[in-house]
Amino acid sequence: MKTSNITEHETCLNRNHFLFKHLSNEEFELISEQKQVTQHKRGSLLYKEGNRTNGFYCIEQGIIKVFKTGLDGKEQIILFAKKGHIIGYRSVLSKETACTSAQVTEDAITSFIPGEILVQLVKNNGNFSLELTQLICKELGYANSYITDIAQRTVRERLAEILIHLKEEFGLDKDQTLQIALTREELANIVGTATESVIRLLSEFKQDKLIEINGRKIILINENALKKIAHLF
Amino acid sequence: MKTSNITEHETCLNRNHFLFKHLSNEEFELISEQKQVTQHKRGSLLYKEGNRTNGFYCIEQGIIKVFKTGLDGKEQIILFAKKGHIIGYRSVLSKETACTSAQVTEDAITSFIPGEILVQLVKNNGNFSLELTQLICKELGYANSYITDIAQRTVRERLAEILIHLKEEFGLDKDQTLQIALTREELANIVGTATESVIRLLSEFKQDKLIEINGRKIILINENALKKIAHLF
DNA sequence: CGATGTTTTGAGAGGATTCAACCACAGTGG
DNA sequence: CCACTGTGGTTGAATCCTCTCAAAACATCG
């Protein structure tokens, strides 16, 4: 992790950002001064569950996975954050220790913003505040759906759903593969199952001509069938 | 459901409420004027998943269950709200349709407050806004824990955890039973399992002298053992 | 008293996990 | 250069947990 000299206009923390567009000129200046832009290699930790944090991150580039660690050390991935997303604000606002860890999945650049600034913005900028509550509410809605999903659907259904979701969220490479390339273990930790189960189901999907597999590269060749398995229509 | 003539000082939506204590006198006046205090019988619906809502509820008395409905109609209970809790604000703020339904579990009295007031408060009252984001962040943290729980623990472990949680959240009756009396199906819909599984596990717990059962009344007689099963220490 | 809803128990099937062994591959160091 | 090591991926077999289906006991209520 090293601080880079990326200049402001290259970052996505700008006046077009859905959240930061609500800032006044002075507020934006303040953030621009205070933010620390940093590069991170795959595997490095931004923050760790149980620790106090003193700021939050805006993702400029790359992918960060946010996860909780279960009792036996097994990760449960809560979300993958990409460009434009902000993470780590939860513990800043609720003044609790972090309830998740954040680790780099694809080499990333982040802007770190001190927590006091966030608190001041919530207090003083109504439009920013409203936008932020809307964001958190959406995350909450997503979490509630996920609870219902995990509680009521089979691993097979959830895996199909995740594949569709990864495509819609992160898009495709030139060669039609899912842009985000995850290990089998990471897939398992999203779905909430054992690594071996993911492997078995992926090869079932492959046999059924729903996907093609090339190492970590996955191509969805029958998206409709996957959606049907996932009950997405 | 009928509007009652309960006067302001009887409600918990008052100047001591963790959220509404941040209101100015004028704001508090406005809410007091606009709120609709209503009584609800067990079973009645406050709002329904998929519908638009135009306000939120502050629970004055009773218990409301908030749940999502899965594909096959099976409920997943997200939380039980009691006195002082507010529910239904999510869809007001995120301007989406409700992602959950709310139904009365124990005869209840609620104050309904129009959504525009909430939005205006978030915009204009920094302290209120900060307190609200903290609340939502806590709910989000709880949801994330629950995702990890359901994904990684057995039904047995989760049921033990829920029993402990229900005791800590709702307390005990005079006769040492859990104050909140749920059907087997409701218990199953919190844990995220089949009704029969809850019944079997409850009678296992009973055989192991961890609990006593009297219809819907449950007594925890070996809380430590339950906590151990739930991995709570 | 029937009628309806809830609780209970049993049996069977199926999904998912665990444990184990094995392969492929890349990086390391002698 | 090659053995060594570690990580990630794969497969098989056995086990176990959980669900589903079905039927019966029980409770509650008009």
Side-chain angles (χ1 to χ4, degrees), chain A residues 68-78 89-96 99-100 118-119 122-127 129-130 132-134 136-148 150-153 158 189 191-193 230-231, chain B residues 68-78 89-96 99-100 118-119 122-127 129-130 132-134 136-148 150-153 158 189 191-193 230-231:
Chain A
K68 280 188 79 76
T69 307
L71 292 166
D72 45 358
K74 185 175 170 62
E75 292 176 5
Q76 177 63 42
I77 296 175
I78 304 294
Y89 61 82
R90 203 205 69 91
S91 58
V92 169
L93 288 171
S94 68
K95 289 166 181 158
E96 299 170 333
C99 76
T100 53
L118 181 61
V119 172
V122 170
K123 278 191 169 181
N124 300 328
N125 186 327
N127 287 322
S129 194
L130 185 60
L132 183 64
T133 55
Q134 286 172 4
I136 312 178
C137 282
K138 277 181 190 166
E139 287 204 30
L140 188 54
Y142 179 72
N144 287 342
S145 297
Y146 208 43
I147 289 172
T148 309
I150 295 189
Q152 298 193 4
R153 297 194 189 174
R158 266 142 52 206
N189 291 344
V191 175
T193 187
H231 297 285
Chain B
K68 281 188 78 75
T69 306
L71 293 167
D72 44 357
K74 184 175 170 62
E75 293 177 5
Q76 176 63 42
I77 296 176
I78 305 294
Y89 60 83
R90 203 206 70 92
S91 58
V92 169
L93 288 171
S94 68
K95 288 163 183 159
E96 298 169 332
C99 76
T100 52
L118 181 62
V119 172
V122 170
K123 278 191 169 180
N124 301 328
N125 184 328
N127 288 321
S129 194
L130 186 60
L132 182 64
T133 56
Q134 286 171 4
I136 311 177
C137 281
K138 278 182 190 167
E139 286 204 29
L140 188 55
Y142 179 71
N144 287 341
S145 296
Y146 208 43
I147 289 173
T148 310
I150 295 190
Q152 298 193 3
R153 297 194 189 172
R158 265 143 52 206
N189 291 343
V191 175
T193 188
H231 297 285

Side-chain angles (χ1 to χ4, degrees), chain B:
Chain B
M1 157 164 158
K2 68 165 201 191
T3 299
S4 88
N5 56 355
I6 297 164
T7 55
E8 175 197 325
H9 71 280
E10 296 180 66
T11 74
C12 71
L13 197 171
N14 59 33
R15 306 310 301 252
N16 295 319
H17 187 275
F18 76 101
L19 191 55
F20 300 113
K21 74 180 175 196
H22 296 290
L23 300 188
S24 71
N25 289 331
E26 298 77 42
E27 288 167 339
F28 191 76
E29 281 301 311
L30 180 65
I31 281 207
S32 299
E33 280 170 23
Q34 297 274 321
K35 76 179 179 190
Q36 296 164 29
V37 181
T38 310
Q39 289 183 312
H40 314 263
K41 285 276 175 218
R42 169 170 169 91
S44 68
L45 272 173
L46 269 58
Y47 56 86
K48 194 153 174 281
E49 191 173 349
N51 290 351
R52 287 213 150 279
T53 59
N54 52 1
F56 68 101
Y57 297 85
C58 178
I59 318 296
E60 302 292 351
Q61 192 179 300
I63 298 177
I64 313 285
K65 78 173 166 190
V66 176
F67 62 94
K68 281 188 78 75
T69 306
L71 293 167
D72 44 357
K74 184 175 170 62
E75 293 177 5
Q76 176 63 42
I77 296 176
I78 305 294
L79 64 88
F80 288 103
K82 64 174 181 183
K83 183 174 178 177
H85 291 188
I86 62 169
I87 60 172
Y89 60 83
R90 203 206 70 92
S91 58
V92 169
L93 288 171
S94 68
K95 288 163 183 159
E96 298 169 332
T97 56
C99 76
T100 52
S101 304
Q103 188 177 28
V104 177
T105 287
E106 282 185 13
D107 292 358
I109 299 173
T110 62
S111 293
F112 176 84
I113 297 121
E116 314 88 63
I117 293 187
L118 181 62
V119 172
Q120 286 310 312
L121 286 175
V122 170
K123 278 191 169 180
N124 301 328
N125 184 328
N127 288 321
F128 177 90
S129 194
L130 186 60
E131 190 82 39
L132 182 64
T133 56
Q134 286 171 4
L135 170 68
I136 311 177
C137 281
K138 278 182 190 167
E139 286 204 29
L140 188 55
Y142 179 71
N144 287 341
S145 296
Y146 208 43
I147 289 173
T148 310
D149 246 43
I150 295 190
Q152 298 193 3
R153 297 194 189 172
T154 64
V155 171
R156 181 189 185 79
E157 292 167 333
R158 265 143 52 206
L159 179 59
E161 187 181 11
I162 292 294
L163 291 176
I164 297 292
H165 178 253
L166 289 178
K167 184 218 162 187
E168 291 178 349
E169 178 81 8
F170 297 98
L172 300 177
D173 259 343
K174 326 90 209 164
D175 51 354
Q176 299 298 307
T177 61
L178 293 186
Q179 192 131 36
I180 184 171
L182 302 172
T183 65
R184 303 292 188 260
E185 189 179 10
E186 282 172 326
L187 272 172
N189 291 343
I190 315 173
V191 175
T193 188
T195 307
E196 297 94 323
S197 297
V198 166
I199 290 168
R200 278 181 246 272
L201 287 167
L202 281 181
S203 64
E204 268 185 50
F205 287 168
K206 184 181 172 184
Q207 278 193 343
D208 297 346
K209 310 281 187 207
L210 307 182
I211 63 173
E212 275 173 19
I213 307 177
N214 197 342
R216 290 180 194 171
K217 289 292 189 180
I218 296 176
I219 304 180
L220 311 189
I221 50 181
N222 192 342
E223 216 173 310
N224 283 340
L226 282 173
K227 282 187 181 174
K228 198 165 288 177
I229 291 174
H231 297 285
L232 287 181
F233 54 53

Side-chain angles (χ1 to χ4, degrees), chain A:
Chain A
M1 157 165 159
K2 67 166 202 190
T3 299
S4 90
N5 57 355
I6 298 163
T7 57
E8 176 196 323
H9 70 280
E10 295 178 69
T11 73
C12 72
L13 197 173
N14 60 32
R15 306 309 301 251
N16 295 320
H17 187 276
F18 77 99
L19 191 55
F20 301 113
K21 74 179 177 196
H22 295 292
L23 301 188
S24 70
N25 289 332
E26 298 77 41
E27 288 166 339
F28 191 77
E29 282 301 311
L30 180 65
I31 280 208
S32 300
E33 279 169 26
Q34 297 273 323
K35 76 179 178 191
Q36 296 165 30
V37 181
T38 310
Q39 290 182 312
H40 313 262
K41 286 275 174 219
R42 170 171 169 90
S44 67
L45 273 174
L46 270 57
Y47 57 85
K48 193 154 174 280
E49 189 173 351
N51 291 351
R52 286 213 150 280
T53 59
N54 52 2
F56 68 102
Y57 298 85
C58 179
I59 318 295
E60 302 291 352
Q61 192 180 300
I63 297 177
I64 313 285
K65 79 172 165 191
V66 176
F67 62 94
K68 280 188 79 76
T69 307
L71 292 166
D72 45 358
K74 185 175 170 62
E75 292 176 5
Q76 177 63 42
I77 296 175
I78 304 294
L79 65 87
F80 288 103
K82 64 174 180 183
K83 183 175 177 174
H85 290 187
I86 62 169
I87 60 172
Y89 61 82
R90 203 205 69 91
S91 58
V92 169
L93 288 171
S94 68
K95 289 166 181 158
E96 299 170 333
T97 56
C99 76
T100 53
S101 305
Q103 187 177 28
V104 177
T105 287
E106 280 186 15
D107 292 357
I109 299 174
T110 61
S111 294
F112 177 85
I113 297 120
E116 312 89 64
I117 293 186
L118 181 61
V119 172
Q120 286 310 312
L121 287 175
V122 170
K123 278 191 169 181
N124 300 328
N125 186 327
N127 287 322
F128 177 90
S129 194
L130 185 60
E131 190 82 38
L132 183 64
T133 55
Q134 286 172 4
L135 170 68
I136 312 178
C137 282
K138 277 181 190 166
E139 287 204 30
L140 188 54
Y142 179 72
N144 287 342
S145 297
Y146 208 43
I147 289 172
T148 309
D149 245 43
I150 295 189
Q152 298 193 4
R153 297 194 189 174
T154 64
V155 171
R156 181 189 184 81
E157 291 166 335
R158 266 142 52 206
L159 180 58
E161 187 180 10
I162 293 294
L163 290 176
I164 297 292
H165 178 252
L166 290 177
K167 185 218 161 189
E168 291 179 348
E169 178 81 7
F170 297 98
L172 299 178
D173 260 340
K174 325 91 207 165
D175 53 353
Q176 299 299 306
T177 61
L178 293 187
Q179 193 131 36
I180 185 171
L182 302 171
T183 65
R184 303 292 189 260
E185 189 179 10
E186 282 172 326
L187 274 173
N189 291 344
I190 314 172
V191 175
T193 187
T195 308
E196 296 95 324
S197 297
V198 165
I199 291 169
R200 276 181 245 272
L201 286 167
L202 281 181
S203 65
E204 269 186 47
F205 286 168
K206 184 182 172 184
Q207 278 192 343
D208 296 346
K209 311 278 186 211
L210 307 181
I211 62 173
E212 274 172 21
I213 307 179
N214 198 341
R216 289 179 196 172
K217 289 292 190 179
I218 296 176
I219 303 180
L220 310 188
I221 49 182
N222 191 341
E223 215 174 310
N224 283 340
L226 283 172
K227 281 186 181 172
K228 198 165 288 177
I229 292 174
H231 297 285
L232 288 180
F233 53 52

